[in-house]
Amino acid sequence: MRFLIPLLGLALLACGDDPVDDTAAPVDTAESDTDTDADVDSDTDADADSDTDTDPKAIGRDAVPFAMEDINPSSASYGTTLRSEDLAGTPYALVFLDSRCTGCIDVADDLWALMLDKPHWHAALPVFGVESYSAYATVPATVDPMVENNDQPYVVDVEGSSVWAGYGALNHDMLVISDDGVLDAWLPLYSWPDDMVIFTDYMTDRFGD
């Protein structure tokens, strides 16, 4: 069972030809009117633009490439850069968190506790907390509660990478990437802890209790 909440987007395209300025002087013929309008409106709309925008959380879309630094001092990969290509061929999940958000701290605490309790889940689907770049850049000390009792990588965008924008992510969004590099599931965990059941049901269904 997968928990998919596709979003739809609508786009209107408006285009039109410029009006024709047909101001040729009239031809005066006494016998018969042989004037024919040879003016042909050859103005064609050459705008080939089409709406190719897709929902950033559309299931089946290609994963967003990224480069993110591990900022958890307790992690074995602390200070190194995690790149999307490093994870090619293996499934993984990203949960988007902002250390200034008290609800995000609760999400982090509960997720790490669950992973400790069910290590086979984390072995099958590594979950990376993705810190808000703006939070880390302005108030890095707020990250401390996010990594307490957790030795897993906790990452943040580095310069030139924008995984938050690429997925249109909000706080508590959890996105699962399949082993073939496409978005496999979107778990919107907005009403935590009530939505913890969404996560636990998904993991149980895929990897057992």
Side-chain angles (χ1 to χ4, degrees):
M1 171 172 38
R2 292 181 181 172
F3 299 81
L4 317 178
I5 306 180
L7 305 179
L8 301 177
L10 299 177
L12 286 177
L13 295 177
C15 57
D17 296 335
D18 296 330
V20 177
D21 183 15
D22 189 2
T23 56
V27 177
D28 184 12
T29 57
E31 299 300 325
S32 61
D33 183 8
T34 59
D35 181 26
T36 58
D37 186 0
D39 184 15
V40 178
D41 181 9
S42 59
D43 179 21
T44 59
D45 186 356
D47 183 5
D49 185 25
S50 60
D51 183 12
T52 57
D53 293 338
T54 58
D55 176 2
K57 300 184 186 78
I59 304 307
R61 65 156 293 180
D62 289 340
V64 173
F66 60 75
M68 296 189 284
E69 181 186 355
D70 185 358
I71 55 174
N72 182 2
S74 299
S75 167
S77 57
Y78 173 62
T80 64
T81 300
L82 176 71
R83 302 180 186 279
S84 48
E85 55 262 35
D86 298 337
L87 300 170
T90 60
Y92 61 92
L94 306 174
V95 57
F96 293 85
L97 303 168
D98 187 318
S99 57
R100 298 166 296 186
C101 158
T102 56
C104 290
I105 296 174
D106 293 338
V107 171
D109 286 344
D110 292 340
L111 284 179
W112 308 149
L114 276 170
M115 289 301 186
L116 286 173
D117 186 52
K118 299 181 182 296
H120 63 288
W121 282 4
H122 186 73
L125 185 72
V127 176
F128 300 98
V130 183
E131 171 66 23
S132 161
Y133 178 80
S134 61
Y136 188 64
T138 56
V139 280
T142 61
V143 166
D144 294 346
M146 310 296 285
V147 297
E148 288 177 351
N149 304 313
N150 168 33
D151 61 0
Q152 300 304 317
Y154 189 71
V155 296
V156 65
D157 278 333
V158 300
E159 187 176 358
S161 177
S162 186
V163 70
W164 276 75
Y167 284 117
L170 302 174
N171 292 347
H172 303 197
D173 271 334
M174 183 171 177
L175 303 177
V176 180
I177 311 304
S178 70
D179 54 5
D180 56 356
V182 300
L183 184 59
D184 186 62
W186 165 35
L187 283 63
L189 309 176
Y190 302 146
S191 300
W192 200 265
D194 294 342
D195 286 344
M196 185 188 294
V197 68
I198 295 176
F199 174 74
T200 55
D201 282 357
Y202 176 83
M203 298 298 283
T204 301
D205 182 64
R206 288 199 61 183
F207 308 113
D209 187 15

